Amino acid sequence: MATQSSRATARLMVAPSVIVLFIWMIVPLALTLWFAFRIYRLLSPDRNGWAGFSNFLWYFNSPDFWLAISNTLVLVGGVLAITIVFGVLIALLIDQPVWGQGPLRILVISPFFVMPPVAASVWENLFMHPQNGLLAAGAIGLGMQPILFLEQYPMSSVIFIVSWEWLPFATLIFLTALQSLSSEQLEAAEMDGASALSRFRYIVMPHMTRAITVVVLIQTIFLLGIFGEIFTTTQGGPGSASTTLPYMIYKQAVIAKDIGRAAAGGIIAVILANIVAFFLMRSMGKHLDT
Amino acid sequence: MARAVTTQRKLVYTIAAWSVALLIFFPVLWTILTSFKTETSAVANPPELLSADWTLENYAEVWGRTDYPRFFLNSVIISVGSTLLGLLIAIPAAWSMAFVPSNKTKDLLMWMLSTKMMPAAAVLIPMYLIFQRTGLFDTRTGLVLALMLMNLPVIIWMLYTYFKEIPGEILEAARMDGASLRDEVLYILTPMAIPGIASTMLLNIILAWNEAFWTITLTTTKAAPLSAFIASFSAPQGLFYAKLSAASTMAIAPILILGWFSQKQLVRGLTFGAVK
């Protein structure tokens, strides 16, 4: 059905999207690349000129940088692990015959609708606060010392909060996938004497591969840029303990007011995202082909 | 996976599933409950539930001290505006990719999604400068544009997966019967595409409503939506737990209710059509 003219029309229809996305991507990227090689400090505006690679070298020589890279990867990996493991378990549970599956789904999906600043400040103040938080009250009630979540375990706490936000997404996708699994196959396996564990291992899990791929891909895109949760709760601290790469760049731009360095950090972040994307696509792309 | 089970087993599963669901939902519930307590009651230890002093004062105070209606209106304009504008650009693109695919279509879609891989913080300074120079800073127009571009890849992906399920034969049949392009779009495509467009729209309104990086960095007062309103509220100032909870509830309630009513359509959209 594709004639010459319909192909031309089709290109014309795609063009606006491609053009605006290209501009949206290339203009900030080009500017960032330009700034990355410049000396550009808002606090000393008279000093300017080319910086060579010094803005980049500053990162590689800073011990905080390697911590930030590892924090970024730990955050992405930690949240992925938690949401996938618990997502699969909760989806398996909800998929069982239960009363009130509709309301159940509504309760489980709710955290997804909570905007990140609200989620972060509610967890920080109402739950993790060492004096007034509910978790501290619980600890005191059990005769224990309240745990200083954000001070002593900043990364784990941030990972926990972000996992709470993303668990509904993972659970819902796994639930959708489970519901398309044929029950005949499972019953046949059960009659042949397959244990619950081996039914899960050889029938349910292979069926879920695609769903897990989707969860990993989409969540990684969003998790690499996580900013608001850290900004609201730990501000990257204590020290640099919970500083991720996006937050380190933000600190250079807004607190140190060093635009050149922030831009160099931006370029490093883009490269890191591309490396992660490359490995993701290579290892998971085959599951997505239809 | 519906299988015959005994009532006893169903009861066990029901209790387990409800416990887990309530545990996940609990932070939201606790926030809503706290918003109706007095400040003293909100920080009481041990936590008060039945014995708490209930009040509506927090809402009155947040309403009185802040300009909630303006933030709310900004949120609505920005999230709905960016979604509608995005649909306007995305529908033709998704339509042509779904019905006149070329061997580059898959790569093009991947490239579009990859534009979302760029961490927002990385391009903060250039975006800030561009917005300042063009006069888009702290305007609704600026945020509508920024959020439209941010979510455009998602909108195109979702529409593409929906459109792909419309059988091409129907179009061919219509063409053989002499339907013009206009008839084709108006009488065949539109009715079949409406559910997909609707759920794409819903998900993107939610994504735009909850966006908190660009809305905070590219606004100050005039165009600030609810995500910026709540960020300005999280600086502790004396007894503020109940008021924080009230402000939080006011920020999330509209989208929570919208989400609850449309969760069935959302699930499909959320999976990018990749999971059935």
Side-chain angles (χ1 to χ4, degrees):
Chain A
M1 70 189 238
T3 59
Q4 203 76 42
S5 78
S6 78
R7 282 222 174 277
T9 322
R11 283 217 192 90
L12 209 65
M13 288 161 80
V14 183
S17 298
V18 173
I19 292 168
V20 293
L21 275 177
F22 187 72
I23 295 172
W24 168 248
M25 187 188 78
I26 207 73
V27 173
L29 197 62
L31 275 171
T32 307
L33 203 56
W34 166 264
F35 289 144
F37 290 100
R38 302 285 298 179
I39 298 169
Y40 186 177
R41 295 187 191 132
L42 295 180
L43 295 177
S44 47
D46 39 306
R47 281 190 60 199
N48 56 46
W50 291 100
F53 281 93
S54 66
N55 286 328
F56 291 93
L57 287 175
W58 178 82
Y59 282 93
F60 297 125
N61 292 327
S62 156
D64 282 357
F65 172 71
W66 301 105
L67 182 65
I69 296 273
S70 91
N71 279 343
T72 310
L73 298 176
V74 165
L75 178 66
V76 174
V79 175
L80 281 178
I82 293 175
T83 51
I84 289 172
V85 171
F86 285 94
V88 169
L89 291 177
I90 296 169
L92 280 172
L93 183 61
I94 298 180
D95 191 43
Q96 302 300 320
V98 294
W99 282 293
Q101 211 176 49
L104 264 182
R105 280 162 67 128
I106 284 181
L107 290 185
V108 171
I109 198 178
S110 293
F112 185 73
F113 301 130
V114 177
M115 53 176 76
V118 170
S121 82
V122 161
W123 274 104
E124 181 192 11
N125 293 301
L126 265 51
F127 289 90
M128 291 176 171
H129 194 278
Q131 277 107 46
N132 305 325
L134 201 59
L135 293 171
I140 293 167
L142 292 171
M144 296 188 300
Q145 279 294 313
I147 300 165
L148 300 168
F149 289 99
L150 292 166
E151 290 77 12
Q152 280 178 343
Y153 310 98
M155 273 314 284
S156 312
S157 303
V158 170
I159 289 173
F160 179 84
I161 295 172
V162 177
S163 298
W164 178 74
E165 292 177 288
W166 282 95
L167 188 58
F169 173 77
T171 307
L172 243 78
I173 289 189
F174 295 145
L175 188 60
T176 315
L178 274 180
Q179 284 170 342
S180 69
L181 182 61
S182 88
S183 56
E184 286 84 12
Q185 212 184 350
L186 281 173
E187 273 161 37
E190 197 173 359
M191 275 196 259
D192 287 347
S195 70
L197 203 65
S198 56
R199 266 177 284 151
F200 177 75
R201 168 75 185 79
Y202 295 105
I203 299 175
V204 179
M205 276 321 276
H207 181 79
M208 301 281 268
T209 317
R210 196 184 162 83
I212 293 175
T213 309
V214 170
V215 169
V216 170
L217 273 180
I218 296 175
Q219 287 201 52
T220 305
I221 290 177
F222 284 93
L223 294 176
L224 275 174
I226 284 285
F227 174 84
E229 290 82 349
I230 295 173
F231 175 76
T232 312
T233 54
T234 65
Q235 306 264 314
S240 302
S242 60
T243 299
T244 59
L245 192 53
Y247 199 79
M248 190 175 183
I249 296 165
Y250 170 83
K251 274 202 290 197
Q252 284 308 312
V254 176
I255 298 166
K257 300 201 190 299
D258 191 330
I259 307 303
R261 261 182 211 164
I267 297 297
I268 296 172
V270 170
I271 294 170
L272 179 73
N274 275 294
I275 294 173
V276 173
F278 175 77
F279 282 110
L280 270 182
M281 293 295 170
R282 224 175 64 164
S283 59
M284 319 208 89
K286 56 180 184 288
H287 297 305
L288 274 180
D289 286 330
T290 31
Chain B
M1 280 169 70
R3 281 179 290 162
V5 283
T6 58
T7 313
Q8 195 190 3
R9 254 178 89 179
K10 189 168 177 178
L11 189 69
V12 173
Y13 283 134
T14 303
I15 292 170
W18 274 90
S19 315
V20 171
L22 283 172
L23 196 66
I24 292 174
F25 181 69
F26 183 73
V28 179
L29 180 71
W30 189 249
T31 308
I32 297 171
L33 285 176
T34 307
S35 73
F36 290 106
K37 293 180 184 173
T38 59
E39 291 292 358
T40 350
S41 202
V43 296
N45 195 348
E48 295 179 340
L49 191 56
L50 295 174
S51 57
D53 294 324
W54 301 103
T55 172
L56 284 172
E57 191 146 327
N58 303 308
Y59 285 92
E61 191 151 332
V62 172
W63 183 273
R65 272 212 320 218
T66 64
D67 203 351
Y68 179 80
R70 197 193 63 220
F71 287 109
F72 176 80
L73 192 67
N74 282 340
S75 270
V76 171
I77 291 174
I78 291 164
S79 55
V80 175
S82 67
T83 303
L84 291 181
L85 190 64
L87 283 174
L88 201 68
I89 300 176
I91 289 175
W95 188 88
S96 82
M97 283 197 280
F99 293 114
V100 198
S102 72
N103 48 5
K104 291 203 180 62
T105 301
K106 266 246 136 72
D107 294 336
L108 196 60
L109 278 166
M110 271 298 160
W111 171 74
M112 286 176 169
L113 203 59
S114 78
T115 61
K116 281 194 74 65
M117 281 263 184
M118 189 155 59
V123 290
L124 170 63
I125 300 298
M127 289 308 293
Y128 186 84
L129 291 174
I130 293 170
F131 268 62
Q132 286 280 12
R133 293 277 161 85
T134 51
L136 287 171
F137 185 76
D138 201 18
T139 62
R140 290 171 189 155
T141 318
L143 279 184
V144 164
L145 281 176
L147 295 196
M148 183 277 280
L149 286 161
M150 202 185 77
N151 288 331
L152 190 60
V154 179
I155 299 184
I156 295 176
W157 260 87
M158 284 179 64
L159 288 175
Y160 171 77
T161 59
Y162 281 114
F163 288 173
K164 261 201 97 72
E165 289 188 1
I166 299 175
E169 293 81 35
I170 290 188
L171 288 179
E172 273 176 56
R175 261 174 228 171
M176 294 235 217
D177 288 346
S180 66
L181 184 69
R182 192 182 145 274
D183 291 342
E184 209 180 287
V185 171
L186 217 59
Y187 299 112
I188 299 164
L189 233 40
T190 311
M192 296 188 79
I194 287 280
I197 294 175
S199 69
T200 306
M201 197 170 111
L202 271 170
L203 182 69
N204 278 279
I205 288 175
I206 293 173
L207 285 179
W209 186 280
N210 288 346
E211 212 292 316
F213 185 76
W214 295 121
T215 50
I216 291 171
T217 49
L218 296 179
T219 63
T220 49
T221 47
K222 285 204 316 285
L226 284 169
S227 48
F229 155 83
I230 202 71
S232 70
F233 221 93
S234 30
Q237 21 179 277
L239 280 178
F240 81 120
Y241 274 46
K243 280 188 264 317
L244 173 75
S245 302
S248 298
T249 308
M250 286 160 84
I252 63 172
I255 221 67
L256 199 60
I257 292 164
L258 180 71
W260 282 347
F261 279 112
S262 56
Q263 54 111 4
K264 276 226 170 74
Q265 291 85 311
L266 277 180
V267 177
R268 171 67 217 286
L270 273 175
T271 62
F272 288 67
V275 179
K276 302 211 171 72

